[in-house]
Amino acid sequence: MIDLRSDTVTRPTAPMRRAMAEAPVGDDVFGEDPTINRLEEHVAALLGKEAAIYCPSGTMTNQIGIFVGTGRGDEVILHEGAHIFNYEAGAPALLSGVGMRTVPGEGGVVAPETLRAAVRPENVHFARPKLLCLENTHNVAGGRVFQLCDFAAVAAEARDLGLKVHLDGARLFNAAVATGTPAREWCEHADTVSVCSSKGLGAPVGSLLAGDEETIREARRARKAFGGGMRQAGIIAAASLYAFEHNVERLAEDHERAKGLADGLREAGYGVDEPETNIVLVEVGEAEAFLQDLAVEGVLATPWSGSRIRLCTHLDIGDAEVEGTIAAASRLLVSGEGVR
Ligand SMILES: *Cc1c(COP(=O)(O)O)cnc(C)c1O
């Protein structure tokens, strides 16, 4: 099977497994796991922040970011397609007691004037807007890059309005590699930043939240309260460290293959958005029926909005898999299953 459902489906490679097996470990709740300490320092430096904390998932790092950036009854403002709003099980309400106010924006980008219009003044009737959450790259928009100038502009507006900024950077390194803009340049404009090692970077588990020392101290309390305190977790953190040290630059290969996939599918007759990173959105008509037929041809993908599917390139997808996918989709068009 060629599995393009997500960049989370990668299996750890032999050298990554070796790094895991050989990792020095200790009790991380006591701050004594040398591998986790190294990973947290490495990622804090990559993101240009004072400190970082290792957590099991990007959902947890996002939710801790919200917890430390808000108080009960406050309002979080975010794009209507945000992962935090759509795919995190209502956790901001569940864990932090905050409401979410969504705003529209082309390609996942929140414009300064849209933000300003959504932020209501101090008034006894209104929830207090406290935090703006931004996502880069934007998943629902198809891996679109939130360009640094747009990002800086809306973050400045947020600051002007008295809001803090959290960046959901599950795929921030895809944005960095695609543009040549170092990840830390986006992070300068955010108070807290979440990054994942289990997406395109190829680790089996692990995300980090970065920010200033005091914020990350609070995050450590929150992680314990949310049930995310781990013991000799250096054995899994070693995979994340390996991923950050070896698999960032190679994301460019995923982007190249996504473009190749898009070109091939377009030549075959499909309507395809031009990918900016590793996500390809394709018009197929009846998505669910199409995906069943595609699976019979040996290719897995994810249903997106009604008539579209999402294909995601990653570490386990090489040129042969790209060609195999184009061939499978072409066969479906010939047999009359695909459309447009
Ligand atoms: C995957 C992802 C996350 C985190 O997901 P987990 O599965 O909890 O690690 C957060 N934001 C975005 C945009 C994502 O794609």
Side-chain angles (χ1 to χ4, degrees):
M1 276 297 193
I2 300 172
D3 195 347
L4 296 158
R5 286 172 301 166
S6 174
D7 45 8
T8 58
V9 300
T10 56
R11 315 283 161 86
T13 57
M16 182 180 277
R17 285 171 188 264
R18 211 170 306 123
M20 296 173 76
E22 291 167 2
V25 296
D27 191 328
D28 181 54
V29 174
F30 298 158
E32 291 173 1
D33 189 295
T35 305
I36 292 184
N37 293 342
R38 251 186 78 198
L39 171 64
E40 291 179 345
E41 283 164 25
H42 181 80
V43 171
L46 264 184
L47 302 180
K49 293 294 187 193
E50 288 174 7
I53 180 171
Y54 175 64
C55 291
S57 72
T59 297
M60 187 179 280
T61 43
N62 278 336
Q63 295 307 322
I64 292 176
I66 290 172
F67 187 81
V68 299
T70 60
R72 201 174 160 84
D74 288 343
E75 194 167 71
V76 172
I77 297 181
L78 70 188
H79 187 270
E80 60 196 5
H83 191 279
I84 291 172
F85 178 64
N86 291 286
Y87 305 122
E88 298 192 9
L94 183 70
L95 300 174
S96 297
V98 296
M100 288 185 278
R101 185 180 180 92
T102 60
V103 293
E106 176 64 24
V109 168
V110 178
E113 53 279 13
T114 307
L115 175 65
R116 183 166 284 276
V119 169
R120 296 178 296 173
E122 175 66 30
N123 180 304
V124 74
H125 296 89
F126 301 151
R128 288 195 169 110
K130 276 287 173 59
L131 183 68
L132 171 68
C133 294
L134 302 172
E135 190 174 309
N136 193 20
T137 63
H138 200 274
N139 178 31
V140 165
R144 292 274 288 269
V145 175
F146 204 136
Q147 294 293 338
L148 182 62
C149 51
D150 298 333
F151 192 91
V154 73
E157 187 76 36
R159 237 167 271 283
D160 197 44
L161 293 162
L163 272 65
K164 287 189 170 169
V165 177
H166 171 76
L167 168 57
D168 177 356
R171 296 190 181 82
L172 181 61
F173 292 98
N174 291 91
V177 167
T179 57
T181 304
R184 66 166 66 84
E185 294 197 18
W186 278 281
C187 301
E188 271 176 33
H189 305 282
D191 298 280
T192 49
V193 182
S194 162
V195 290
C196 292
S197 65
S198 59
K199 296 276 163 81
L201 300 185
V205 63
S207 296
L208 290 103
L209 182 74
D212 64 30
E213 297 268 6
E214 192 188 332
T215 303
I216 299 306
R217 227 182 348 265
E218 280 307 303
R220 231 166 260 286
R221 287 188 67 84
R223 185 185 66 176
K224 196 78 184 78
F226 290 176
M230 296 182 286
R231 303 297 179 177
Q232 288 73 26
I235 197 147
I236 50 174
S240 297
L241 186 56
Y242 184 92
F244 284 110
E245 286 179 343
H246 296 91
N247 292 346
V248 173
E249 293 308 322
R250 69 148 302 287
L251 290 172
E253 297 174 28
D254 296 345
H255 300 169
E256 271 307 303
R257 292 199 175 99
K259 282 194 170 46
L261 192 55
D263 289 345
L265 292 172
R266 215 178 279 123
E267 274 169 34
Y270 288 90
V272 189
D273 292 358
E274 183 58 18
E276 292 184 13
T277 55
N278 69 327
I279 295 175
V280 184
L281 300 181
V282 187
E283 278 292 339
V284 297
E286 276 295 316
E288 295 287 352
F290 180 86
L291 286 173
Q292 279 176 17
D293 294 332
L294 192 63
V296 173
E297 297 286 339
V299 178
L300 300 176
T302 305
W304 219 229
S305 60
S307 65
R308 291 202 293 180
I309 61 169
R310 185 188 80 165
L311 309 173
C312 219
T313 57
H314 53 74
L315 201 57
D316 295 353
I317 297 296
D319 295 332
E321 284 75 18
V322 168
E323 281 159 29
T325 302
I326 295 166
S330 303
R331 286 197 294 276
L332 289 185
L333 264 194
V334 170
S335 70
E337 285 302 334
V339 286
R340 273 175 288 283

mmCIF file of all heavy atoms in Angstrom, residues 262-270:
data_model
loop_
_atom_site.group_PDB
_atom_site.id
_atom_site.type_symbol
_atom_site.label_atom_id
_atom_site.label_comp_id
_atom_site.label_asym_id
_atom_site.label_seq_id
_atom_site.Cartn_x
_atom_site.Cartn_y
_atom_site.Cartn_z
ATOM 1 N N ALA A 262 1.339 16.586 -7.928
ATOM 2 C CA ALA A 262 0.329 17.529 -8.422
ATOM 3 C C ALA A 262 0.404 17.650 -9.939
ATOM 4 O O ALA A 262 -0.620 17.596 -10.625
ATOM 5 C CB ALA A 262 0.514 18.896 -7.767
ATOM 6 N N ASP A 263 1.632 17.773 -10.487
ATOM 7 C CA ASP A 263 1.793 17.889 -11.947
ATOM 8 C C ASP A 263 1.252 16.646 -12.646
ATOM 9 O O ASP A 263 0.521 16.744 -13.625
ATOM 10 C CB ASP A 263 3.284 18.057 -12.308
ATOM 11 C CG ASP A 263 3.818 19.422 -11.901
ATOM 12 O OD1 ASP A 263 2.991 20.312 -11.619
ATOM 13 O OD2 ASP A 263 5.051 19.584 -11.845
ATOM 14 N N GLY A 264 1.622 15.467 -12.112
ATOM 15 C CA GLY A 264 1.206 14.207 -12.736
ATOM 16 C C GLY A 264 -0.306 14.039 -12.712
ATOM 17 O O GLY A 264 -0.902 13.609 -13.708
ATOM 18 N N LEU A 265 -0.920 14.391 -11.604
ATOM 19 C CA LEU A 265 -2.373 14.233 -11.493
ATOM 20 C C LEU A 265 -3.095 15.238 -12.398
ATOM 21 O O LEU A 265 -4.119 14.926 -12.995
ATOM 22 C CB LEU A 265 -2.810 14.419 -10.033
ATOM 23 C CG LEU A 265 -2.349 13.304 -9.084
ATOM 24 C CD1 LEU A 265 -2.663 13.654 -7.631
ATOM 25 C CD2 LEU A 265 -2.988 11.955 -9.461
ATOM 26 N N ARG A 266 -2.508 16.419 -12.524
ATOM 27 C CA ARG A 266 -3.095 17.441 -13.403
ATOM 28 C C ARG A 266 -3.005 16.972 -14.854
ATOM 29 O O ARG A 266 -3.977 17.060 -15.607
ATOM 30 C CB ARG A 266 -2.341 18.766 -13.205
ATOM 31 C CG ARG A 266 -3.252 19.982 -13.314
ATOM 32 C CD ARG A 266 -2.482 21.267 -13.074
ATOM 33 N NE ARG A 266 -2.272 21.569 -11.663
ATOM 34 C CZ ARG A 266 -1.075 21.757 -11.103
ATOM 35 N NH1 ARG A 266 0.043 21.633 -11.809
ATOM 36 N NH2 ARG A 266 -0.972 22.042 -9.825
ATOM 37 N N GLU A 267 -1.829 16.435 -15.222
ATOM 38 C CA GLU A 267 -1.670 15.919 -16.592
ATOM 39 C C GLU A 267 -2.648 14.790 -16.866
ATOM 40 O O GLU A 267 -3.144 14.634 -17.983
ATOM 41 C CB GLU A 267 -0.236 15.419 -16.815
ATOM 42 C CG GLU A 267 0.708 16.512 -17.248
ATOM 43 C CD GLU A 267 2.167 16.061 -17.203
ATOM 44 O OE1 GLU A 267 2.427 14.871 -17.481
ATOM 45 O OE2 GLU A 267 3.021 16.907 -16.862
ATOM 46 N N ALA A 268 -2.951 14.013 -15.821
ATOM 47 C CA ALA A 268 -3.900 12.903 -15.988
ATOM 48 C C ALA A 268 -5.331 13.414 -16.129
ATOM 49 O O ALA A 268 -6.218 12.669 -16.534
ATOM 50 C CB ALA A 268 -3.787 11.952 -14.806
ATOM 51 N N GLY A 269 -5.556 14.692 -15.768
ATOM 52 C CA GLY A 269 -6.886 15.267 -15.961
ATOM 53 C C GLY A 269 -7.603 15.689 -14.692
ATOM 54 O O GLY A 269 -8.778 16.064 -14.738
ATOM 55 N N TYR A 270 -6.908 15.659 -13.577
ATOM 56 C CA TYR A 270 -7.542 16.067 -12.307
ATOM 57 C C TYR A 270 -7.356 17.564 -12.052
ATOM 58 O O TYR A 270 -6.387 18.164 -12.524
ATOM 59 C CB TYR A 270 -6.917 15.301 -11.131
ATOM 60 C CG TYR A 270 -7.310 13.838 -11.090
ATOM 61 C CD1 TYR A 270 -6.541 12.881 -11.755
ATOM 62 C CD2 TYR A 270 -8.443 13.423 -10.395
ATOM 63 C CE1 TYR A 270 -6.885 11.546 -11.733
ATOM 64 C CE2 TYR A 270 -8.803 12.084 -10.373
ATOM 65 C CZ TYR A 270 -8.023 11.148 -11.037
ATOM 66 O OH TYR A 270 -8.382 9.829 -11.009
#
